[in-house]
Protein backbone atom coordinates (compact mmCIF):
# COMPACT_ATOMS: atom_id res chain seq x y z
CA UNK A 1 0.00 0.00 0.00
CA UNK A 2 1.52 3.32 -0.99
CA UNK A 3 0.86 6.83 -2.15
CA UNK A 4 1.11 8.04 -5.74
CA UNK A 5 0.71 11.72 -6.49
CA UNK A 6 0.60 13.22 -9.98
CA UNK A 7 -1.39 15.58 -12.17
CA UNK A 8 -2.33 15.24 -15.82
CA UNK A 9 -3.33 18.20 -17.91
CA UNK A 10 -4.71 18.20 -21.43
CA UNK A 11 -3.51 21.32 -23.21
CA UNK A 12 -5.85 22.83 -25.76
CA UNK A 13 -4.54 24.50 -28.85
CA UNK A 14 -4.99 28.26 -29.06
CA UNK A 15 -6.83 28.03 -32.37
CA UNK A 16 -3.68 28.56 -34.45
CA UNK A 17 -2.73 25.55 -36.50
CA UNK A 18 0.87 24.35 -36.26
CA UNK A 19 1.86 21.63 -38.73
CA UNK A 20 4.63 20.41 -36.40
CA UNK A 21 2.43 20.18 -33.30
CA UNK A 22 1.36 16.71 -32.17
CA UNK A 23 -2.35 15.99 -32.49
CA UNK A 24 -2.76 15.66 -28.72
CA UNK A 25 -0.93 17.98 -26.35
CA UNK A 26 -0.52 16.84 -22.73
CA UNK A 27 1.54 17.41 -19.64
CA UNK A 28 2.13 15.21 -16.59
CA UNK A 29 3.07 17.31 -13.56
CA UNK A 30 5.55 16.34 -10.87
CA UNK A 31 4.98 12.73 -9.82
CA UNK A 32 5.95 11.10 -6.56
CA UNK A 33 5.41 7.71 -4.93
CA UNK A 34 6.28 6.53 -1.43
CA UNK A 35 5.80 3.24 0.34
CA UNK A 36 4.80 1.30 -2.78
CA UNK A 37 5.55 -2.33 -3.52
CA UNK A 38 6.05 -3.64 -7.04
CA UNK A 39 6.23 -7.28 -7.97
CA UNK A 40 8.15 -7.83 -11.20
CA UNK A 41 7.44 -11.07 -13.06
CA UNK A 42 9.52 -12.01 -16.11
CA UNK A 43 7.64 -14.75 -17.92
CA UNK A 44 10.36 -15.48 -20.46
CA UNK A 45 11.72 -18.02 -17.93
CA UNK A 46 10.21 -21.35 -16.90
CA UNK A 47 9.21 -21.07 -14.13
CA UNK A 48 8.66 -17.29 -14.36
CA UNK A 49 11.27 -15.16 -12.55
CA UNK A 50 9.73 -13.00 -9.82
CA UNK A 51 11.20 -10.38 -7.49
CA UNK A 52 9.91 -7.61 -5.23
CA UNK A 53 10.79 -3.90 -5.28
CA UNK A 54 9.78 -1.76 -2.28
CA UNK A 55 9.77 1.87 -3.40
CA UNK A 56 10.79 4.14 -0.55
CA UNK A 57 10.79 7.23 -2.77
CA UNK A 58 10.18 7.89 -6.46
CA UNK A 59 10.10 11.41 -7.81
CA UNK A 60 9.80 12.54 -11.41
CA UNK A 61 9.60 16.06 -12.72
CA UNK A 62 6.98 17.06 -15.23
CA UNK A 63 6.82 15.78 -18.81
CA UNK A 64 5.29 17.90 -21.56
CA UNK A 65 4.51 16.71 -25.10
CA UNK A 66 5.31 20.22 -26.36
CA UNK A 67 8.92 19.84 -25.12
CA UNK A 68 9.81 16.19 -25.86
CA UNK A 69 13.59 16.69 -25.66
CA UNK A 70 13.54 18.45 -22.28
CA UNK A 71 15.07 16.10 -19.66
CA UNK A 72 12.79 15.05 -16.80
CA UNK A 73 14.58 14.69 -13.44
CA UNK A 74 14.15 11.31 -11.72
CA UNK A 75 15.05 10.09 -8.21
CA UNK A 76 14.50 6.53 -7.01
CA UNK A 77 15.25 5.01 -3.61
CA UNK A 78 14.13 1.41 -3.22
CA UNK A 79 14.77 -1.96 -1.63
CA UNK A 80 15.14 -4.98 -3.89
CA UNK A 81 14.58 -8.33 -2.27
CA UNK A 82 15.49 -8.85 1.37
CA UNK A 83 18.68 -6.76 1.70
CA UNK A 84 19.32 -5.00 -1.63
CA UNK A 85 19.07 -1.23 -1.89
CA UNK A 86 19.24 1.08 -4.88
CA UNK A 87 19.51 4.87 -5.07
CA UNK A 88 19.37 6.54 -8.48
CA UNK A 89 19.39 10.20 -9.53
CA UNK A 90 19.21 11.25 -13.13
CA UNK A 91 17.08 12.41 -16.00
CA UNK A 92 15.19 10.99 -18.94
CA UNK A 93 13.82 12.48 -22.14
CA UNK A 94 11.42 9.64 -22.81
CA UNK A 95 9.41 11.48 -25.45
CA UNK A 96 12.41 12.50 -27.55
CA UNK A 97 12.81 10.89 -30.99
CA UNK A 98 16.38 9.98 -29.99
CA UNK A 99 16.59 8.60 -26.45
CA UNK A 100 18.40 10.71 -23.85
CA UNK A 101 18.93 9.21 -20.40
CA UNK A 102 21.51 9.90 -17.69
CA UNK A 103 21.70 8.11 -14.33
CA UNK A 104 24.08 8.11 -11.41
CA UNK A 105 23.69 6.06 -8.26
CA UNK A 106 24.58 2.97 -6.32
CA UNK A 107 23.35 -0.52 -5.54
CA UNK A 108 24.14 -2.09 -2.17
CA UNK A 109 23.84 -5.72 -1.05
CA UNK A 110 21.83 -6.98 -4.03
CA UNK A 111 21.65 -10.78 -3.85
CA UNK A 112 23.45 -12.31 -6.81
CA UNK A 113 21.41 -15.47 -6.38
CA UNK A 114 18.30 -13.39 -7.15
CA UNK A 115 19.87 -12.54 -10.54
CA UNK A 116 20.70 -16.17 -11.27
CA UNK A 117 17.94 -16.73 -13.86
CA UNK A 118 19.51 -13.94 -15.94
CA UNK A 119 23.09 -15.20 -15.54
CA UNK A 120 22.01 -18.74 -16.42
CA UNK A 121 20.14 -17.54 -19.50
CA UNK A 122 22.86 -15.18 -20.76
CA UNK A 123 26.06 -16.85 -19.53
CA UNK A 124 25.07 -20.42 -18.71
CA UNK A 125 26.27 -19.86 -15.13
CA UNK A 126 24.20 -20.13 -11.95
CA UNK A 127 25.06 -17.69 -9.17
CA UNK A 128 24.42 -19.48 -5.89
CA UNK A 129 25.69 -16.85 -3.43
CA UNK A 130 27.16 -13.37 -3.13
CA UNK A 131 26.12 -9.76 -3.13
CA UNK A 132 26.52 -6.93 -5.61
CA UNK A 133 27.71 -3.48 -4.53
CA UNK A 134 27.98 -1.10 -7.47
CA UNK A 135 28.43 2.62 -8.07
CA UNK A 136 27.33 3.65 -11.56
CA UNK A 137 27.27 6.73 -13.75
CA UNK A 138 26.09 6.34 -17.35
CA UNK A 139 24.21 8.02 -20.14
CA UNK A 140 22.31 6.74 -23.16
CA UNK A 141 22.51 8.94 -26.23
CA UNK A 142 21.17 7.95 -29.63
CA UNK A 143 20.67 4.37 -28.39
CA UNK A 144 24.32 4.02 -27.27
CA UNK A 145 25.52 3.67 -23.66
CA UNK A 146 28.27 6.00 -22.47
CA UNK A 147 29.96 4.98 -19.22
CA UNK A 148 31.41 7.71 -17.02
CA UNK A 149 33.67 7.06 -14.06
CA UNK A 150 33.51 3.88 -11.91
Amino acid sequence: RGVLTTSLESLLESGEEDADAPPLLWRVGDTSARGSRLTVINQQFDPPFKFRVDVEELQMGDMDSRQPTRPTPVTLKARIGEFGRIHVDGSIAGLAPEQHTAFKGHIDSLSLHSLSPYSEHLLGYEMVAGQLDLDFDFAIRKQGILKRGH
Side-chain angles (χ1 to χ4, degrees):
R1 186 175 187 150
V3 177
L4 173 66
T5 307
T6 190
S7 64
L8 177 62
E9 295 177 19
S10 179
L11 305 173
L12 302 175
E13 293 185 50
S14 63
E16 296 179 25
E17 300 240 353
D18 181 357
D20 294 354
L24 173 66
L25 301 176
W26 57 270
R27 178 179 169 268
V28 176
D30 291 343
T31 302
S32 65
R34 295 186 196 294
S36 300
R37 175 172 285 172
L38 303 172
T39 300
V40 179
I41 301 172
N42 187 336
Q43 296 185 339
Q44 90 179 38
F45 300 106
D46 186 22
F49 175 55
K50 180 177 170 181
F51 66 94
R52 184 185 82 231
V53 178
D54 292 303
V55 177
E56 295 170 353
E57 176 185 356
L58 171 64
Q59 295 198 10
M60 290 182 61
D62 59 308
M63 296 178 74
D64 190 330
S65 65
R66 297 173 301 173
Q67 299 174 315
T69 59
R70 187 184 73 194
T72 299
V74 177
T75 297
L76 171 66
K77 294 178 184 176
R79 291 181 22 209
I80 301 173
E82 191 173 355
F83 301 109
R85 300 184 72 77
I86 184 167
H87 180 179
V88 178
D89 286 305
S91 63
I92 59 172
L95 302 176
E98 293 184 354
Q99 183 65 35
H100 167 91
T101 303
F103 287 114
K104 184 176 184 174
H106 59 268
I107 297 172
D108 295 313
S109 304
L110 180 64
S111 167
L112 291 177
H113 179 69
S114 69
L115 299 177
S116 195
Y118 292 107
S119 69
E120 286 181 66
H121 179 74
L122 297 170
L123 307 171
Y125 180 76
E126 178 184 7
M127 291 189 261
V128 294
Q131 292 182 340
L132 173 67
D133 293 323
L134 173 70
D135 290 323
F136 57 89
D137 185 356
F138 70 91
I140 299 174
R141 304 269 194 279
K142 296 183 181 180
Q143 309 308 327
I145 296 177
L146 307 171
K147 178 184 171 283
R148 297 185 299 240
H150 321 288

